[in-house]
Amino acid sequence: MLSMSVLFFFSCRTSTPNIYNILDFGAIGDGKTLNTAAIQMTIHKAIATEGTVIIPKGDFYTGSLILGSNMTLQLEEGATLIASSSMNDYKQANFIFAPEAHNLLIKGKGTINGNGESFFDEHWDYDQRPRPWIVIQDAKNISVSGITLTNSPAHCLVFNFCENVKVNSLTIKNHPRSPNTDGIDINNSKDVLITNCNIATGDDAICIKNKNSQKYFIGDKASKRSRYTENITVKNCRLESDDAALKLGTGSAYHTRNCSFQDITIKNSRYGIALFMMDGGIYSDINFQNINIETGGRQKDEYGIFLDTHRRDSTSTIGTIENINFKDINITTNGLLYFSGYPGKEISEITLENVKITIPNAENTVLENWKKPMGNKKIQYWNNTLSYLQSPGSMIVAHAKNVTIKNTSIVHQQGKMHRHGLYLINVEKLDTTSLKGNMLNKETFVFKKEIK
């Protein structure tokens, strides 16, 4: 409960210790005055005293800002930070940058508007833009809650090499055509909890990555950075994406492990769940439970689940995908479920339990022309690229071992496309306990194929 002095401050803007209103530092909330200096001055004061920056009701236009440790940024109801439309007002690549900002709290009921439409033309192309938009890096004990992030010009909220992160009740709204506007990106970070968020965006809604830190930093600092992305929990969220709602990759250089996704609703997304392994790393101990998925959107091909092994270049090491579990999942899609490893590097310990798959219309003739996707990017094909997307099955499993499909159904409601329910290619140690479904034509429900 807030003290009476703090409540009085909110109503009368007094000089309560360690609480600083940007109006007292010269900010003007008219939506057009550039307030960068006033807001940054307020932030410096809060950093020096472990204080709170108050963004009051109003529209505050500003260039790039830098946050620090042991401070709170609070956006009151009716408050909007509006990012400048001119790159001349950005001293760094990002709109908000928080390097080594330990014990940082961002909260409130206000909005941060990225002014994204000013960076895109009518075809959603751009010359330059703040990218990523909001970045918190090399930081511990971070909390972001309550606020709305909208109209982003790029990846929206990014955590790089962070530890102990909590994101709660965040709303993210971006145009579905806006390119690279990931909602939340978690890179080489651990102990992350994302809850009660509502995200609708033009790229991945929540994306978990593991990048080669040497690409971003050199010297001793790079060698000390975490090579793990681990202990990630996402629950009670509603997601919508022009690409993948829940995604691992494509950054997959080291080990991503111990991730849990549960109690999630996914609507109108090209991919419901996607795991892209491209960089020779490891995905292990990943659990998806109690998730409702409806694919859709503007893309011609769609996937309830897409789990795939690929090489970023022709000589890249093949990565490992193991112990991936899907339980209590309802999927409605006219597309596919696709699980593919590589000869000699099979995906393993893959479990689907209590999964209900509904194909409303199996007339999707685009299937015959589908090529292996990699998000919305154009994938590079090499001489050693494998793709089985044109296999006539609603669920395709290739180069896998120790696969369990339990209490799972595949129901085709209408259409004339010739598909099998389950199409298997070089699958070892398969358990299909209580697998059921229907076919609309004369195909067998389960088809097995061996490739030498």
Side-chain angles (χ1 to χ4, degrees):
M1 181 177 293
L2 295 174
S3 67
M4 289 301 294
S5 62
V6 174
L7 289 172
F8 184 73
F9 166 80
F10 286 157
S11 60
C12 298
R13 195 160 54 85
T14 66
S15 57
T16 304
N18 300 346
I19 298 180
Y20 309 102
N21 193 307
I22 62 172
L23 296 177
D24 291 330
F25 291 78
I28 299 173
D30 61 3
K32 58 184 180 181
T33 301
L34 188 65
N35 291 289
T36 312
I39 297 173
Q40 191 64 62
M41 189 184 305
T42 315
I43 291 170
H44 288 326
K45 187 69 174 179
I47 294 171
T49 61
E50 300 186 3
T52 297
V53 173
I54 297 294
I55 311 295
K57 183 177 180 180
D59 297 325
F60 297 92
Y61 188 77
T62 177
S64 59
L65 302 169
I66 298 179
L67 306 182
S69 294
N70 303 310
M71 63 162 288
T72 298
L73 179 66
Q74 179 167 320
L75 290 90
E76 294 188 332
E77 188 171 6
T80 302
L81 277 181
I82 304 174
S84 172
S85 61
S86 173
M87 289 302 296
N88 292 331
D89 295 326
Y90 292 80
K91 294 182 179 180
Q92 71 250 350
N94 324 113
F95 172 56
I96 293 178
F97 185 41
E100 299 182 294
H102 308 302
N103 308 313
L104 172 65
L105 175 62
I106 302 174
K107 66 177 184 177
K109 297 182 178 180
T111 298
I112 303 178
N113 186 324
N115 214 345
E117 75 278 0
S118 65
F119 297 98
F120 300 123
D121 64 19
E122 66 273 17
H123 304 294
W124 296 99
D125 291 327
Y126 59 90
D127 292 324
Q128 54 183 351
R129 55 178 172 166
R131 183 180 183 183
W133 182 37
I134 301 172
V135 177
I136 302 173
Q137 186 163 293
D138 293 302
K140 296 181 179 180
N141 307 323
I142 307 300
S143 176
V144 182
S145 65
I147 64 173
T148 295
L149 305 177
T150 189
N151 200 10
S152 174
H155 295 78
C156 196
L157 179 60
V158 178
F159 297 93
N160 291 330
F161 306 97
C162 290
E163 182 177 343
N164 191 20
V165 174
K166 295 181 180 178
V167 179
N168 181 54
S169 298
L170 192 70
T171 298
I172 297 178
K173 297 179 181 179
N174 295 316
H175 194 285
R177 289 294 305 277
S178 55
N180 310 122
T181 53
D182 289 17
I184 302 174
D185 280 4
I186 307 296
N187 302 322
N188 300 71
S189 297
K190 64 180 182 178
D191 302 327
V192 178
L193 176 63
I194 301 173
T195 54
N196 306 309
C197 291
N198 190 340
I199 302 174
T201 189
D203 209 327
D204 309 317
I206 296 177
C207 188
I208 314 299
K209 300 181 183 180
N210 191 285
K211 297 181 177 181
N212 185 344
S213 61
Q214 299 290 343
K215 293 181 180 180
Y216 300 92
F217 298 89
I218 59 175
D220 292 340
K221 193 169 187 178
S223 64
K224 294 177 182 178
R225 287 175 174 273
S226 173
R227 294 189 175 190
Y228 295 96
T229 301
E230 59 186 346
N231 306 331
I232 313 296
T233 299
V234 179
K235 61 183 180 180
N236 298 322
C237 292
R238 186 188 185 282
L239 308 176
E240 184 172 335
S241 168
D242 190 57
D243 201 42
L246 292 174
K247 178 178 172 182
L248 274 68
T250 60
S252 48
Y254 299 113
H255 199 162
T256 299
R257 61 188 181 186
N258 299 331
C259 299
S260 174
F261 306 86
Q262 63 186 71
D263 304 322
I264 295 170
T265 298
I266 295 171
K267 299 278 189 179
N268 201 36
S269 298
R270 183 188 185 190
Y271 305 83
I273 298 169
L275 285 78
F276 296 98
M277 171 55 68
M278 292 186 67
D279 298 315
I282 303 172
Y283 294 153
S284 71
D285 304 298
I286 314 294
N287 298 301
F288 301 89
Q289 184 170 4
N290 193 23
I291 299 177
N292 293 310
I293 299 171
E294 292 182 15
T295 63
R298 67 186 178 93
Q299 306 294 338
K300 293 182 179 180
D301 52 348
E302 55 191 64
Y303 307 85
I305 300 173
F306 185 90
L307 186 157
D308 181 65
T309 303
H310 185 68
R311 287 183 166 103
R312 192 173 293 276
D313 59 55
S314 61
T315 60
S316 295
T317 302
I318 293 294
T320 298
I321 302 178
E322 59 187 9
N323 195 18
I324 313 296
N325 303 294
F326 304 89
K327 185 176 182 181
D328 302 325
I329 312 288
N330 291 321
I331 300 173
T332 301
T333 182
N334 286 323
L336 305 177
L337 280 74
Y338 185 79
F339 306 81
S340 180
Y342 209 84
K345 199 72 171 181
E346 294 83 2
I347 57 175
S348 65
E349 307 296 337
I350 310 298
T351 299
L352 287 80
E353 182 177 358
N354 299 331
V355 176
K356 181 180 179 181
I357 303 156
T358 302
I359 315 290
N361 187 0
E363 291 284 358
N364 193 345
T365 56
V366 177
L367 179 69
E368 298 174 0
N369 299 314
W370 281 8
K371 293 184 178 181
K372 190 175 182 180
M374 194 53 61
N376 284 338
K377 300 176 181 178
K378 293 182 179 179
I379 190 171
Q380 293 292 319
Y381 276 77
W382 318 106
N383 291 332
N384 49 25
T385 294
L386 298 179
S387 176
Y388 304 103
L389 285 177
Q390 294 181 26
S391 302
S394 290
M395 182 190 299
I396 301 167
V397 184
H399 302 296
K401 59 183 179 182
N402 298 321
V403 176
T404 300
I405 304 175
K406 181 178 180 181
N407 296 330
T408 290
S409 64
I410 304 174
V411 176
H412 300 81
Q413 292 184 332
Q414 65 176 355
K416 298 180 181 180
M417 172 162 276
H418 295 274
R419 296 193 201 181
H420 302 275
L422 177 62
Y423 196 98
L424 304 170
I425 302 169
N426 290 12
V427 178
E428 302 177 10
K429 298 182 180 179
L430 172 70
D431 180 357
T432 55
T433 304
S434 300
L435 171 64
K436 58 185 179 181
N438 73 314
M439 302 308 302
L440 298 174
N441 297 289
K442 297 181 180 180
E443 289 78 19
T444 56
F445 186 68
V446 178
F447 180 85
K448 295 183 180 180
K449 182 177 182 179
E450 300 295 327
I451 299 177
K452 300 297 183 179

